[in-house]
Amino acid sequence: MLAKAHFETGTKMAEIPHTKDMFDRLTMGIVRSLEKRPGVRDVRLRDRKPAERHIIVSWEQKNSCMLPDDLKRFYLTTDGMLLQWNIKFDDQGIQIGRMEINAIANVTKIGGTNASRNTASLGDVDYDTDEDSSTELEDKPHFDTRSRAFELDPCEGYGKVCLVYKNTKPGSPAQHPQIWFLDRSLAWHFLADNFMQYFRLMLMHLGLPQWQYTFTDIGLSPSAKQWFNMYAPMRLNMDSELKEQRTHDWQDSNSSAPSMDMPVNKLDAGKIFKGKSDKKSKSTAAKKKPSSTSTSSKPSSSGPGGGGRSIQSQTSAIGKPR
């Protein structure tokens, strides 16, 4: 018998309808899909409060980077995310799935150079020579001042998912970040053009172990493939096709992250992540609206994109970087 999703606080979802509504928007129906799979139990989402707006502004000023709107909306809805699910094996619970987004305070910078000459840093090993330079190498992130990378997901030690600002200049605010995966060999692998695309990829892969490696030349480990075959067999074929298409486009273009020319459902971050800014703008608009003007109908609110579908019926999106 499959267990129902619950919070680590022990409170049942039915007892807090507002939080349940936020939970459904965040996961876009992933919990309902997981509960239908054999052996899955203990689907848990850690209860986190929204991040304060001044904390987000402070992060941007400290790091001289502008957070994209979709990521801001996410943090104004919940300060990070941790969703885990287990399976029952030999009457014991084993954690398989883990979907994590760091709290804004833990989105810390990686790389850079040290002031001390006696200590090596990532920036010291990140160098190009005239003989070793190539278009592919130049298009990837760097650990020195040419890029600014921040950890979004520690990936339990097998790598890092990072928010990466490329082509940065000292003293200038960075904009338009992408999502990249940094493996343990310090090699960069492109994941998504924006946060919403990555968030969807994470959900579509169910947070299975090492799922980010499906977009690398390393590939999944044998044990990780077994979990994919059990809980997301369609993803292996889809990711294989995406990888082949990406390799083909990479060779035929100068772009570091070729787009996947396939139809996908677009997600509206404003409908999924409804932060404080949405409530404030609505209240302000209501106050400014004159009573003598002609009546106008309010736009109907629609549910979260893909919230009622099976996880295997949705297609992930990989965008083209700017």
Side-chain angles (χ1 to χ4, degrees), residues 1-47:
M1 181 177 177
L2 302 180
K4 294 183 179 180
H6 62 279
F7 283 91
E8 291 183 352
T9 55
T11 308
K12 295 182 178 179
M13 295 292 296
E15 297 177 356
I16 37 180
H18 174 72
T19 307
K20 183 177 185 300
D21 178 65
M22 185 192 73
F23 181 85
D24 290 337
R25 289 204 309 271
L26 282 174
T27 59
M28 293 183 281
I30 187 70
V31 173
R32 290 190 293 273
S33 176
L34 284 172
E35 290 178 338
K36 295 178 182 178
R37 300 171 191 269
V40 175
R41 68 177 189 179
D42 296 338
V43 184
R44 305 184 305 278
L45 175 70
R46 178 173 294 180
D47 186 11

Side-chain angles (χ1 to χ4, degrees), residues 178-194:
Q178 298 170 336
I179 310 299
W180 289 72
F181 177 65
L182 180 66
D183 65 27
R184 297 189 66 178
S185 67
L186 302 182
W188 289 103
H189 308 276
F190 176 79
L191 290 179
D193 190 54
N194 54 59

Side-chain angles (χ1 to χ4, degrees), residues 39 41 87-94 227:
R41 68 177 189 179
I87 64 168
K88 185 177 180 181
F89 186 78
D90 289 340
D91 296 328
Q92 294 182 354
I94 302 178
W227 295 121

Side-chain angles (χ1 to χ4, degrees), residues 81-225:
M81 173 182 171
L82 178 59
L83 190 152
Q84 300 168 288
W85 56 274
N86 301 343
I87 64 168
K88 185 177 180 181
F89 186 78
D90 289 340
D91 296 328
Q92 294 182 354
I94 302 178
Q95 178 185 309
I96 298 298
R98 182 184 179 91
M99 310 177 206
E100 184 174 10
I101 302 294
N102 282 344
I104 185 67
N106 296 328
V107 181
T108 54
K109 187 177 181 180
I110 63 174
T113 56
N114 293 334
S116 175
R117 293 292 183 180
N118 299 325
T119 305
S121 65
L122 290 176
D124 296 326
V125 301
D126 185 17
Y127 62 90
D128 296 339
T129 62
D130 295 336
E131 296 81 6
D132 192 37
S133 62
S134 64
T135 302
E136 178 179 338
L137 184 61
E138 288 296 334
D139 285 333
K140 290 191 175 183
H142 298 275
F143 294 110
D144 55 22
T145 56
R146 288 171 290 181
S147 301
R148 299 172 194 169
F150 303 88
E151 180 186 296
L152 279 180
D153 181 1
C155 299
E156 297 187 289
Y158 60 79
K160 292 179 183 293
V161 173
C162 299
L163 184 73
V164 178
Y165 298 81
K166 297 194 303 179
N167 302 321
T168 59
K169 297 180 180 179
S172 299
Q175 301 183 59
H176 311 303
Q178 298 170 336
I179 310 299
W180 289 72
F181 177 65
L182 180 66
D183 65 27
R184 297 189 66 178
S185 67
L186 302 182
W188 289 103
H189 308 276
F190 176 79
L191 290 179
D193 190 54
N194 54 59
F195 175 74
M196 279 304 301
Q197 289 180 3
Y198 170 75
F199 190 81
R200 183 169 183 166
L201 276 178
M202 179 180 66
L203 294 181
M204 297 305 101
H205 287 83
L206 308 178
L208 288 167
Q210 304 174 12
W211 69 265
Q212 294 90 350
Y213 277 95
T214 60
F215 298 98
T216 71
D217 52 357
I218 302 171
L220 294 171
S221 65
S223 60
K225 280 187 177 180

